[in-house]
């Protein structure tokens, strides 16, 4: 469910940057992204830019460690399996980046996974937790955000899994509630300072952009965990879980759909209002949700998830659900 929620937010943040691909000609030319500018104001960017990708990055680290836990004892060399999984992800990310959109995140995730996450599996959990704290704190201090935060967030997800927090978090109300209040209390002034520094064009804008993003992302996660303890749980799972279970398929197909939509609309994405971005995202997410829901009734995984699993394990897993 959290992955599906993050997928929706990532699409909202990426609609304009993806659409800008139609305006650029060279693969090596940097893509124009309005994310940083939008993040300084009170529009949609204040709620999605730099706010959603930390959730996705955290979940990647969690998923990586959960997979390692599940394969240990089942295969003789579990880290070789994880290495193969990351290399396949790298191949998919490179294809996505060079064929469709240079803002691809899969390539970054695969490289960081190979360089940071996989080697960390040999470290004790206390070292992973300490390294995560350092790598999350350093980018805002030095005025960096986004990609620079990925290693720390990966390690944080891994540490939370290795300390058993992920196993217990769904059964707790007080911990998400207390953490959510802390994150929200810090997010409000941080976002306010971000807006002021962005409007003034000061050098510390990037740092506050990162800090506000991390705090708001934490508040989002805690709020969703609390909502899952209410009668809204079936609704949230019904809305977000199908998208999250086919996150890879939906993430890659969304790029194609945004490019097609941008071609049909025409003009520069810079002129699109927040309402237009929301409309485009909804026009993509609603069909994706419908296809995902219908697909998962018959099949156990999305098509690209199934291929990724096949390449990881080097033998074809079952796709169709048992009847």
């Amino acid at each position: 469910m959290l992955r599906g929620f993050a997928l929706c937010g990532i699409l909202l943040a990426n609609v304009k940057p993806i659409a800008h691909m139609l305006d650029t000609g060279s693969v090596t030319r940097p893509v124009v992204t309005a994310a940083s500018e939008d993040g300084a104001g009170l529009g949609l960017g204040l709620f999605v830019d730099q706010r959603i990708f930390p959730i996705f990055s955290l979940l990647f680290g969690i998923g990586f460690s959960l997979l390692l836990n599940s394969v240990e004892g089942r295969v003789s060399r579990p880290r070789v399996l994880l290495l193969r999984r990351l290399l396949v992800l790298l191949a998919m990310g490179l294809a996505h980046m060079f064929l469709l959109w240079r803002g691809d995140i899969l390539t970054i995730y695969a490289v960081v996974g190979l360089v940071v996450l996989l080697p960390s599996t040999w470290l004790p959990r206390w070292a992973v937790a300490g390294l995560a704290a350092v790598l999350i704190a350093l980018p805002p201090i030095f005025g960096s955000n986004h990609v620079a935060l990925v290693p720390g967030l990966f390690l944080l997800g891994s540490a939370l899994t290795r300390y058993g927090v992920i196993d217990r978090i769904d059964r707790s109300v007080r911990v998400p509630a207390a953490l959510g209040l802390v994150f929200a209390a810090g997010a409000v002034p941080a976002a306010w300072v971000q807006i002021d520094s962005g409007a003034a064009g000061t050098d510390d804008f990037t740092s506050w952009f990162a800090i506000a993003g991390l705090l708001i992302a934490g508040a989002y996660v805690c709020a969703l965990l609390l909502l899952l303890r209410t009668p809204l749980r079936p609704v949230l799972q019904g809305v977000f879980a199908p998208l999250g279970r086919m996150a890879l398929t939906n993430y890659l197909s969304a790029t194609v759909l945004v490019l097609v939509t941008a071609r049909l609309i025409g003009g520069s994405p810079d002129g699109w209002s927040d309402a237009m971005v929301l409309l485009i995202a909804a026009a993509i997410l609603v069909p994706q949700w419908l296809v995902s829901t219908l697909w998962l009734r018959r099949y156990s995984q999305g098509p690209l998830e199934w291929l990724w699993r096949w390449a990881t394990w080097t033998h074809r897993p079952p796709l169709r659900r048992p009847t």
Side-chain angles (χ1 to χ4, degrees):
M1 191 280 292
L2 285 170
R3 190 181 296 115
F5 170 81
L7 186 77
C8 296
I10 285 173
L11 179 58
L12 284 171
N14 286 346
V15 165
K16 283 187 177 183
I18 293 173
H20 268 294
M21 283 298 299
L22 298 177
D23 299 333
T24 59
S26 170
V27 166
T28 58
R29 181 179 168 189
V31 175
V32 177
T33 61
S36 296
E37 299 302 324
D38 292 345
L42 293 172
L44 181 64
L46 183 63
F47 300 97
V48 296
D49 291 338
Q50 188 78 22
R51 281 62 169 140
I52 304 298
F53 98 88
I55 302 174
F56 223 93
S57 301
L58 182 74
L59 292 174
F60 190 92
I62 291 171
F64 187 90
S65 292
L66 288 175
L67 179 58
L68 177 61
N69 291 342
S70 69
V71 300
E72 282 184 324
R74 295 168 53 192
V75 297
S76 58
R77 295 188 296 175
R79 289 176 179 83
V80 173
L81 183 143
L82 294 173
L83 172 64
R84 193 160 52 236
R85 184 171 178 83
L86 289 170
L87 289 174
V88 174
L89 183 66
L90 177 61
M92 289 190 288
L94 289 171
H96 182 226
M97 180 171 62
F98 285 105
L99 295 176
L100 294 173
W101 180 42
R102 295 193 297 280
D104 167 75
I105 195 65
L106 301 181
T107 303
I108 296 169
Y109 277 17
V111 171
V112 174
L114 291 168
V115 175
V116 176
L117 200 51
L118 185 59
S120 75
T121 60
W122 279 280
L123 296 176
R125 62 184 186 178
W126 63 265
V128 174
L131 192 57
V134 172
L135 292 179
I136 290 174
L138 285 179
I141 292 174
F142 288 101
S144 301
N145 59 17
H146 198 62
V147 173
L149 289 165
V150 170
L153 292 166
F154 275 11
L155 293 178
L156 177 59
S158 177
L160 291 174
T161 304
R162 294 174 67 175
Y163 274 100
V165 175
I166 302 305
D167 291 334
R168 301 190 299 269
I169 195 69
D170 191 43
R171 301 190 296 270
S172 174
V173 173
R174 286 180 295 180
V175 173
L179 284 176
L181 288 174
V182 171
F183 284 132
V188 172
W192 186 263
V193 175
Q194 174 200 316
I195 295 169
D196 281 348
S197 60
T202 58
D203 294 336
D204 61 350
F205 167 72
T206 303
S207 296
W208 286 107
F209 194 25
I211 293 169
L214 289 170
L215 292 171
I216 293 174
Y220 283 164
V221 170
C222 292
L224 288 168
L225 289 174
L226 289 174
L227 288 173
L228 285 175
R229 303 286 293 176
T230 71
L232 289 175
R233 183 186 184 103
V235 176
L236 292 171
Q237 289 182 325
V239 171
F240 294 119
L243 292 168
R245 289 179 60 193
M246 289 178 51
L248 180 62
T249 298
N250 288 326
Y251 171 75
L252 293 175
S253 62
T255 302
V256 177
L257 294 173
V258 170
L259 290 172
V260 171
T261 303
R263 178 70 69 182
L264 293 174
I265 294 174
S268 172
D270 291 332
W272 294 351
S273 64
D274 287 347
M276 175 64 76
V277 171
L278 284 168
L279 184 61
I280 293 171
I284 292 170
L285 289 169
V286 171
Q288 283 188 333
W289 174 86
L290 180 60
V291 170
S292 298
T293 301
L294 296 176
W295 178 275
L296 291 170
R297 288 179 182 175
R298 178 170 294 187
Y299 303 104
S300 59
Q301 293 179 294
L304 292 182
E305 286 77 6
W306 177 70
L307 290 172
W308 193 17
R309 184 179 179 86
W310 186 352
T312 298
W313 290 86
T314 66
H315 61 80
R316 187 173 68 178
L319 178 60
R320 187 179 293 271
R321 287 183 175 277
T323 56

